[in-house]
Amino acid sequence: MRMKRLSDLCLAAACAAVLAGCSTTLVREDPRTIRLGDSGVACATTPLVKELLAIRGTSVHAVQGSWKDHVFSAESVMKGEDGRFTAIFLAPHMRLATITLTPPHTITFDRARRIPSAFEPEYALFDLAVVNLPADRLRLALGAGFTVSEADGRRTISAAGRPVAVRTTLPDGTVRYENLPLGYAYVLKEVR
């Protein structure tokens, strides 16, 4: 009896440890309009979601980035198939966040507890669209409030005449992305 009680206690402790690292799940039927930092630039993401849902195939990227004094590295996996789009962000031994888009424009977002609650999936969707969509489709998805200019491997997204995001394709094929109002940047290198 004592051995069973000890094994039950160990099982309960293991479950508590696992659950302490569980994710927070959020489901939105309509993407929210977000503001990109102090600039007050609004980005309605429903058209972006529709464009991201059209992506097909799988890609895996190594991500190296910085935000304020923090440096981070992760791996991102994007998969588009059968009208569904999934982006997974991984760190060693941990899934940081998963964003799943399903028609017509539902966002399901799971994030690890260590990811700041200020991180909104719409920010990641904006970044994914700027990095992955062709310029003409991005222009249509962002709408009249944004300008998309592209020359010599550099794409600049502006709103109200102010740059809000810059995507630069480097000579080796890696992509550098900067979100200017929110103050973060990262480099993506395709690994598969």
Side-chain angles (χ1 to χ4, degrees):
M1 181 67 135
R2 182 173 220 175
M3 202 56 156
K4 177 157 177 23
R5 187 180 255 164
L6 182 60
S7 68
D8 288 346
L9 184 59
C10 288
L11 179 62
C15 287
V18 168
L19 292 174
C22 284
S23 63
T24 300
T25 301
L26 164 76
V27 177
R28 292 190 181 133
E29 291 300 322
D30 273 315
R32 298 180 342 167
T33 296
I34 58 169
R35 300 229 173 255
L36 297 176
D38 297 330
S39 68
V41 175
C43 177
T45 59
T46 298
L48 292 178
V49 168
K50 289 178 182 176
E51 287 296 331
L52 290 169
L53 281 167
I55 291 176
R56 296 290 175 260
T58 301
S59 64
V60 179
H61 291 89
V63 181
Q64 299 289 322
S66 63
W67 175 66
K68 297 185 180 181
D69 294 337
H70 306 285
V71 175
F72 59 89
S73 62
E75 189 171 87
S76 82
V77 179
M78 293 187 319
K79 185 174 186 176
E81 66 179 2
D82 300 327
R84 180 183 182 103
F85 177 83
T86 304
I88 303 168
F89 304 96
L90 304 160
H93 311 295
M94 178 179 206
R95 183 180 292 220
L96 299 172
T98 302
I99 301 171
T100 304
L101 306 177
T102 52
H105 37 71
T106 299
I107 299 172
T108 304
F109 176 57
D110 292 308
R111 68 175 169 83
R113 291 183 190 264
R114 68 185 272 192
I115 301 296
S117 61
F119 178 80
E120 294 287 344
E122 286 85 356
Y123 293 135
L125 294 174
F126 177 82
D127 295 352
L128 289 169
V130 171
V131 169
N132 292 290
L133 294 178
D136 57 337
R137 288 179 40 206
L138 183 62
R139 277 185 198 94
L140 289 172
L142 289 174
F146 290 85
T147 302
V148 178
S149 60
E150 195 163 45
D152 300 325
R154 184 176 169 100
R155 175 184 292 177
T156 303
I157 313 304
S158 301
R162 294 172 53 188
V164 294
V166 178
R167 184 199 81 174
T168 307
T169 303
L170 303 173
D172 67 354
T174 60
V175 174
R176 177 171 168 68
Y177 176 81
E178 298 172 84
N179 186 307
L180 303 172
L182 298 178
Y184 61 87
Y186 53 83
V187 174
L188 297 163
K189 181 170 184 144
E190 190 162 2
V191 294
R192 280 186 252 147

